[in-house]
Amino acid sequence: MDRDIAGRLADLPWAAMRDAIDRNGFALTPSPILGADECAELVQMFDDDAHFRSTIDMARHRFGQGCYRYYRYPLPPVVGELRTAAYPYVAEIANRWASLLGEPRFPDTHAELVRICQEHGQTRPTPLVLRYHEGDWNALHQDLYGDVVFPLQLAVALTRPGVDFTGGEMLFLQQRPRAQSRGHAIMPDLGHGVIFTTRSRPAKGTRGTYRVGMRHGTSTITTGERLTLGIIFHDAM
C-alpha cells in the first residue's frame, strides 16, 4: 500500500462514517487500513509468546469458543501506530456524544487517555488478536475493563472471508428501550476496519437524549481460520 497507516485513516470518508456510527453504532471502512503484508505479520505473530501478556481460552470462561491474546507493552509498531493514529477521529465522535449526554470530555490525545487510565489503576494494555477455527464463536459482550471506558473501539480483519474462512460474521445487537433488540451482521474484508460502540451510544427520543446499549460478538465459523485485531483504546485494571 502506498500510504502509511495515518495517511490511510486520513483518506477515509469520516463524515459518512460518523453518520453511520451515530445511526447504527458501527461503521465499516470502505478501504483497507492495514495492508496484506501488515495483516500477515500480525497473523504470524500470534504464536510468539514474547508479544503477549495473557491468553484467554474462551470456552473455559464461557465467553464462546476460540482463543484471544492481549498484547504486552510496548505494542508491536503496527498496532501502536494504528491505536494512536485512529484515536483523534474516534475522540471527536466520543466528545460529541459526551456533550449530548452531559458527560466529561475525553482528552485530545491517546497518550493522555492512557495517563488517565493509569490514575485509575488501569495499566494493562488491551489491544488483542482473536483466533477462531471451525465451530468457534464469540458471545455477545462489552469490553469495559474498569472505571475509565472509551465509548468506541476498532476491529480489523486479518484474514480473508470466503478464502481463509467462511461464516464468522461480526454481530452487533442494539438493546432498544421498551422495544425488542435489533441485530446487524457484517463481514469486513482483509485489512478493513469496523469502528463500533463499546457500551452504548446516544439517541434522540421524544423526551430528549437517551442511551442505546450495544453488544458485539462473532457468529460461528463454518470452515477455516479467522483472525481479527481488536483495538480498545482504554487500558485494563
Side-chain angles (χ1 to χ4, degrees):
M1 302 181 73
D2 294 335
R3 305 287 305 273
D4 60 11
I5 291 174
R8 297 169 211 158
L9 289 167
D11 289 341
L12 293 175
W14 283 101
M17 290 172 56
R18 285 192 293 266
D19 289 344
I21 295 168
D22 286 344
R23 182 174 61 253
N24 296 319
F26 67 89
L28 178 66
T29 67
S31 56
I33 54 178
L34 291 183
D37 289 347
E38 292 163 329
C39 292
E41 175 188 348
L42 296 178
V43 169
Q44 293 166 6
M45 193 182 293
F46 189 89
D47 291 314
D48 186 348
D49 294 343
H51 296 288
F52 300 97
R53 65 172 177 85
S54 66
T55 302
I56 305 298
D57 179 341
M58 295 168 64
R60 178 183 177 187
H61 297 279
R62 302 183 69 182
F63 294 161
Q65 188 169 304
C67 175
Y68 57 89
R69 310 195 79 182
Y70 288 105
Y71 288 103
R72 66 172 73 249
Y73 280 133
L75 300 174
V78 169
V79 178
E81 182 180 351
L82 180 58
R83 197 186 195 201
T84 299
Y87 179 80
Y89 299 100
V90 293
E92 187 277 329
I93 300 169
N95 283 325
R96 184 162 44 80
W97 287 4
S99 178
L100 291 170
L101 294 168
E103 296 177 347
R105 285 180 53 86
F106 290 92
D108 293 331
T109 67
H110 187 253
E112 182 64 12
L113 177 66
V114 169
R115 186 190 65 77
I116 293 170
C117 287
Q118 291 172 344
E119 290 178 350
H120 287 78
Q122 296 173 219
T123 59
R124 296 187 298 166
T126 49
L128 72 164
V129 175
L130 306 98
R131 182 168 68 183
Y132 308 97
H133 293 106
E134 181 177 335
D136 291 348
W137 56 282
N138 195 346
L140 293 167
H141 65 283
Q142 298 173 327
D143 299 303
L144 304 181
Y145 301 116
D147 292 335
V148 180
V149 177
F150 190 78
L152 293 159
Q153 58 194 91
L154 168 65
V156 183
L158 301 181
T159 45
R160 299 166 296 173
V163 179
D164 298 316
F165 67 94
T166 59
E169 294 86 356
M170 290 190 70
L171 303 175
F172 298 100
L173 186 72
Q174 297 185 43
Q175 301 165 288
R176 300 183 298 165
R178 299 176 299 280
Q180 294 187 1
S181 299
R182 180 186 183 189
H184 296 269
I186 64 171
M187 181 63 78
D189 205 349
L190 178 71
H192 288 243
V194 183
I195 299 168
F196 58 96
T197 303
T198 301
R199 178 168 57 185
S200 63
R201 64 174 179 84
K204 188 173 294 185
T206 56
R207 299 182 181 179
T209 301
Y210 64 95
R211 292 177 178 81
V212 175
M214 290 195 65
R215 293 183 291 163
H216 62 275
T218 303
S219 70
T220 303
I221 308 299
T222 308
T223 62
E225 179 182 72
R226 178 184 177 185
L227 282 89
T228 302
L229 171 66
I231 300 292
I232 299 161
F233 294 95
H234 53 273
D235 279 345
M237 297 187 72

